[in-house]
Amino acid sequence: MHTVTSHPDSAPIRILIGCDTFAPDVNGAARFAERLAAGLVRRGHEVHVAAPSKKHRLGGAFLETIEGEQMTVYRLPSWRWYPHDWLRFVLPWRARHYARKVLDQVRPDVIHIQSHIVIGRALAHEGAKRGIRVVATNHVMPENVFDFTLLPERAKRLFVRWGWRDADRVLRRAAAITTPTRRAADFLERNTYRRGVLPVSCGLRASDYTAVVGPREQHKLVFVGRVTLEKEIDVIIRALLRLDPALNASFTIVGDGDQRKNLEKLVAELGLTDRVHFTGRVSDEALRGYLTDASVFVIASIAELQSIATMEAMASGLPIVAADAMALPHLVQHGENGYLFQPGNDRELAEAVTHVLTAQPEEYERMQHASLEAVQSHDIDRTLDTFESLYRGTPVA
């Protein structure tokens, strides 16, 4: 049995990160896992990743460059989940077999799972049997998972309850459990028997983003993220129609997803084709450019456990208009770095955006500075420090 309980503070750690979504996927959980893995490599640790393959016949260990750092990624044979535009999954009845093979090759000191769905579940089960320390980070709400099924609403509600019980059965194998915010940790504790869940920000390096402080000549709204149902981008589009035409405001949607065609149809129906721009998937450099060039970042999502995109917008010096839902109020202080609105209320959203776009120059700059200051507490180095402590089994500062 390969048992590890603690490490000297300076000793490199062999870490296996288990992900049900990873590059080239574009979503918060995947982005966090990529930054975490790359950051740990930069600190001298040996990092391995277990993640779905790009095709169901593709499997094996590959040397991949993630966030500028090389690491070994074990791509497990996976299949496309067709109700979703990109999601892939490993066959559950094969997952433990793959987990055993990866564990035999890596022999990690610690396993860090990013979800309890398939790969994380298998690694947690097989790792616990071998006495390997397991750290779990929860990025998953069963409510979101079942949005991508074809089940009727009543069945979805039943499966959501089952989903939380199932999550509890996996997470109990972890020596430490984290989730991105205090609000998300409280939500997890309310729905499971787990206690002592630690809020650990996904983190980012603010210096990677460019903030231009000062009023804008053009009024540009921007959203960055997956174009999916729970993001409620249609609410933003309807709010755009409510804005004073004299503002001449435009809206750019940076990202792609299964709802794009429906939203393009809505934009055409509302006569907003010349004011709403869909970029599709873009490079990180292009994404940062859209943020720097915008006037305000708008997010109507009702299911954010943190929202890396919102933090990126803050690091770009943008005022934020966000739904008062889940973890977004953790990032947006109403009246300070932006405004909160009632979820789904496009009238309130339009009023909040108008406040930002018509603010006096000194007020607009005050909101910009408030975003830049608030994002400093989400520095990636603080996140890495915390996980190193959890991996070693030492007290978290």
Side-chain angles (χ1 to χ4, degrees):
M1 179 180 291
H2 180 59
T3 303
V4 174
T5 55
S6 63
H7 302 266
D9 285 353
S10 60
I13 310 168
R14 184 180 299 132
I15 306 154
L16 174 60
I17 300 176
C19 310
D20 281 303
T21 177
F22 194 67
D25 300 343
V26 180
N27 60 73
R31 292 293 296 277
F32 166 68
E34 293 158 23
R35 288 175 176 171
L36 174 70
L40 291 167
V41 171
R42 292 187 192 105
R43 291 190 171 202
H45 301 296
E46 182 183 335
V47 178
H48 302 259
V49 177
S53 66
K54 300 172 186 177
K55 296 181 180 179
H56 69 265
R57 295 186 183 277
L58 180 65
F62 301 88
L63 190 62
E64 298 187 21
T65 300
I66 304 295
E67 294 277 319
E69 301 295 336
Q70 285 195 327
M71 62 195 71
T72 303
V73 181
Y74 295 82
R75 293 288 182 176
L76 310 185
S78 66
W79 296 75
R80 164 84 183 278
W81 180 256
Y82 283 101
H84 191 274
D85 60 324
W86 51 259
L87 186 64
R88 304 187 65 84
F89 67 97
V90 174
L91 296 175
W93 53 90
R94 296 289 292 165
R96 288 190 185 178
H97 166 71
Y98 298 141
R100 287 191 291 269
K101 290 182 65 175
V102 173
L103 290 172
D104 286 343
Q105 293 182 59
V106 178
R107 296 184 59 81
D109 299 319
V110 64
I111 299 167
H112 186 174
I113 65 171
Q114 303 300 308
S115 83
H116 59 272
I117 304 300
V118 180
I119 294 176
R121 170 193 302 274
L123 288 173
H125 181 87
E126 295 299 327
K129 286 200 306 185
R130 299 177 186 215
I132 302 172
R133 183 176 179 82
V134 176
V135 172
T137 294
N138 182 56
H139 299 280
V140 179
M141 292 175 60
E143 289 86 343
N144 292 351
V145 173
F146 290 109
D147 274 345
F148 300 120
T149 70
L150 303 178
L151 296 171
E153 287 303 315
R154 185 176 179 182
K156 285 183 182 180
R157 289 194 294 270
L158 292 173
F159 273 98
V160 163
R161 289 198 292 271
W162 170 84
W164 281 116
R165 290 196 296 269
D166 184 61
D168 188 74
R169 286 192 290 270
V170 178
L171 295 176
R172 69 185 180 188
R173 302 181 185 277
I177 303 170
T178 78
T179 196
T181 63
R182 180 70 264 169
R183 186 168 294 200
D186 292 341
F187 193 77
L188 178 59
E189 291 182 351
R190 282 198 305 271
N191 285 280
T192 68
Y193 291 105
R194 299 308 99 202
R195 298 296 179 265
V197 178
L198 294 173
V200 182
S201 175
C202 292
L204 82 171
R205 198 171 303 283
S207 59
D208 290 342
Y209 301 84
T210 301
V212 178
V213 176
R216 305 298 197 252
E217 292 184 1
Q218 296 179 307
H219 294 147
K220 298 181 180 180
L221 284 63
V222 67
F223 164 81
V224 173
R226 291 178 295 117
V227 185
T228 52
L229 196 62
E230 79 274 9
K231 301 297 183 180
E232 300 211 348
I233 301 170
D234 63 300
V235 178
I236 307 174
I237 294 171
R238 295 180 192 282
L240 184 67
L241 190 65
R242 291 183 177 274
L243 297 181
D244 185 343
L247 291 172
N248 194 28
S250 63
F251 177 36
T252 300
I253 300 165
V254 182
D256 213 344
D258 60 277
Q259 290 298 304
R260 179 170 174 174
K261 288 184 179 179
N262 292 336
L263 293 175
E264 288 175 333
K265 181 180 178 182
L266 174 64
V267 166
E269 290 173 351
L270 297 178
L272 294 172
T273 305
D274 61 336
R275 296 172 59 193
V276 178
H277 176 49
F278 294 84
T279 70
R281 297 177 77 168
V282 300
S283 67
D284 286 347
E285 182 180 3
L287 183 153
R288 290 192 290 268
Y290 281 115
L291 289 173
T292 298
D293 193 44
S295 308
V296 57
F297 181 83
V298 186
I299 180 167
S301 176
I302 56 173
E304 298 294 328
L305 290 183
Q306 181 163 45
S307 181
I308 291 176
T310 301
M311 293 194 297
E312 291 176 325
M314 292 165 65
S316 303
L318 292 183
I320 312 297
V321 173
D324 190 2
M326 283 303 293
L328 292 176
H330 176 77
L331 296 173
V332 182
Q333 302 302 309
H334 189 75
E336 295 297 324
N337 67 323
Y339 296 96
L340 297 168
F341 65 91
Q342 182 182 358
N345 191 324
D346 57 275
R347 183 183 296 276
E348 276 193 17
L349 195 164
E351 291 173 354
V353 168
T354 300
H355 283 314
V356 174
L357 298 184
T358 60
Q360 293 298 311
E362 61 271 17
E363 174 64 12
Y364 183 80
E365 290 182 20
R366 185 191 62 77
M367 287 187 282
Q368 289 186 290
H369 284 296
S371 277
L372 291 169
E373 182 178 349
V375 82
Q376 295 304 313
S377 63
H378 299 281
D379 184 77
I380 188 65
D381 285 321
R382 183 179 301 185
T383 297
L384 293 169
D385 289 344
T386 299
F387 280 113
E388 283 181 326
S389 295
L390 293 175
Y391 297 158
R392 292 188 171 105
T394 58
V396 175

